[in-house]
Structure formats: structure tokens, C-alpha cells
Amino acid sequence: QVQLVESGGGLVQAGGSLRLSCAASGRTFSMYRMGWFRQAPGKEREFVAFITWRVGSTYYADSVKGRFTISRDNAKNTMYLQIDTVKPEDTAVYYCAATAGFGTTSGDAYEYWGQGTQVTVSS
């Protein structure tokens, strides 16, 4: 089992920056890929980005390219999501997820999920 805990959400003004963290514990050695997803009010869950745990290769949704940066610190078992130039449409609950398999952009490919952290962007 892998446990994931997100932090770093909050209220931020449009144009500002925010860094989300996802701390992993448990059988972290089994993780192959970790990802970030978000769900805005009244909308379906949306893929944001993923990172391969050991190698660090990344992939982003087109909607966040250039503003979001995913990274990880293996020594701390922590993944990050840097959000720059935040926009009101970034308002959502952000979830981190992990998989021992070849996680894709589909949430169904991830076995482990955090509880989510709320990001609210004011205009």
C-alpha cells in the first residue's frame, strides 16, 4: 500500500504562484509513476501531469503546458506541482495519484490517491 497526502493548496490571486506537495509513504519503492489530477466544481476529474518516479520523465496536459511544472524529490518521497501565473480556471481540488504500472492520463490507471487539496484563484 502507498499513502499519499497533498498539501499547499489555498487561496491565491490570479497571476500569482503556488506549489503543491504530495508526500508518499508506505511501499513507495513499488511506485513507477505519479500524477496530478484536478476536479473543478461541476466538472469531471481532469488529468494535469505525470512524472516517472525513478527517471523523472514528465508529461503534461496541453491546457497546463508552460505554466505547470511537475517534479519529485526521491529522497523525501515527495512530488510537487508548481503552478505559475495562476488563472481563475485553475480553481479546483487537486489530487495526487500513484501507480506501480504504466500510468497514463486516465485516472483509472492509478491505484493510490490522496485526499485532495483545494486551490482557489481569485480574479
Side-chain angles (χ1 to χ4, degrees), residues 28-41:
T28 57
F29 60 85
S30 68
M31 296 191 305
Y32 178 77
R33 185 165 284 166
M34 293 186 71
W36 286 99
F37 292 78
R38 66 184 180 182
Q39 187 165 21

Side-chain angles (χ1 to χ4, degrees), residues 11-76:
L11 178 64
V12 60
Q13 281 194 324
S17 296
L18 200 65
R19 189 175 81 157
L20 306 181
S21 300
C22 174
S25 61
R27 297 173 62 88
T28 57
F29 60 85
S30 68
M31 296 191 305
Y32 178 77
R33 185 165 284 166
M34 293 186 71
W36 286 99
F37 292 78
R38 66 184 180 182
Q39 187 165 21
K43 295 188 177 181
E44 293 188 352
R45 184 176 60 195
E46 172 189 27
F47 167 77
V48 173
F50 68 60
I51 187 166
T52 303
W53 190 247
R54 296 189 185 279
V55 176
S57 54
T58 60
Y59 183 83
Y60 296 89
D62 287 342
S63 60
V64 305
K65 281 181 182 176
R67 294 193 302 117
F68 288 31
T69 304
I70 189 172
S71 63
R72 90 274 188 251
D73 184 331
N74 296 62
K76 295 183 179 179

Side-chain angles (χ1 to χ4, degrees), residues 2 4 6 37 45 95-98 107-108 110-115:
V2 174
L4 304 173
E6 302 97 333
F37 292 78
R45 184 176 60 195
Y95 298 92
C96 68
D108 292 340
Y110 295 79
E111 301 96 279
Y112 307 106
W113 291 84
Q115 81 290 348

